[in-house]
Amino acid sequence: MSELVSPFSNPENAEWAVAATRGELLIKHCRSCGENHYYPRAFCPFCQSADTEFLATSGEGEIYSFAITRVLNPVIVHAYVTLQEGPTIMTKIVGVDPDRIAIGQQVRLGFEPSKMGFPMPVFTPVETAQA
Ligand SMILES: [Zn+2]
């Protein structure tokens, strides 16, 4: 069992949680300064504007950093993944031998059940054909 504990649902992230149940990861876009950010919140962390909107992501990203917890079974790989849309998010890498994970690896979005009743985003490396 390797469930993630999700953030508490609140008015700032309710739309995010509903999208997660559809298998879609939303981030926030600031209409004032143009930056994207994650986690979802009412005010832009770059310019403090409240003029923000949810934005659907492609589900594509790249591993920025990771740490392997080997004392648990199954092993858990905590990671920061930088989304194609810009924000770097804390997540897990699943569905791969932890010893084959590398910084810079391309990953694709998936979801896992959480204890809070809605799924949490996780990522799996995209296998690329060897030349
Ligand atoms: Zn902003």
Side-chain angles (χ1 to χ4, degrees):
M1 185 159 86
S2 65
E3 291 181 325
L4 287 176
V5 176
S6 61
F8 292 106
S9 186
N10 62 52
E12 287 180 309
N13 69 14
E15 188 173 337
W16 176 93
V18 170
T21 65
R22 297 192 305 260
E24 191 176 10
L25 176 61
L26 300 182
I27 60 175
K28 276 291 196 88
H29 172 75
C30 176
R31 285 185 282 239
S32 179
C33 74
E35 294 281 351
N36 295 333
H37 64 270
Y38 187 88
Y39 57 92
R41 62 202 104 166
F43 294 91
C44 170
F46 298 100
C47 73
Q48 287 73 52
S49 170
D51 189 14
T52 64
E53 63 185 348
F54 279 100
L55 178 72
T57 63
S58 64
E60 307 291 326
E62 170 181 312
I63 296 175
Y64 174 78
S65 184
F66 67 97
I68 303 173
T69 302
R70 295 185 187 274
V71 296
L72 300 175
N73 186 14
V75 167
I76 295 178
V77 181
H78 303 275
Y80 282 105
V81 165
T82 302
L83 301 173
Q84 200 171 67
E85 292 78 11
T88 298
I89 78 171
M90 183 182 277
T91 183
K92 288 195 324 187
I93 305 299
V94 300
V96 65
D97 177 352
D99 293 327
R100 299 190 57 187
I101 295 171
I103 289 171
Q105 206 167 23
Q106 298 299 305
V107 290
R108 184 167 294 135
L109 175 70
F111 281 89
E112 275 192 349
S114 77
K115 294 177 181 172
M116 298 301 289
F118 51 84
M120 290 296 288
V122 296
F123 288 82
T124 302
V126 177
E127 297 301 329
T128 55
Q130 298 298 315

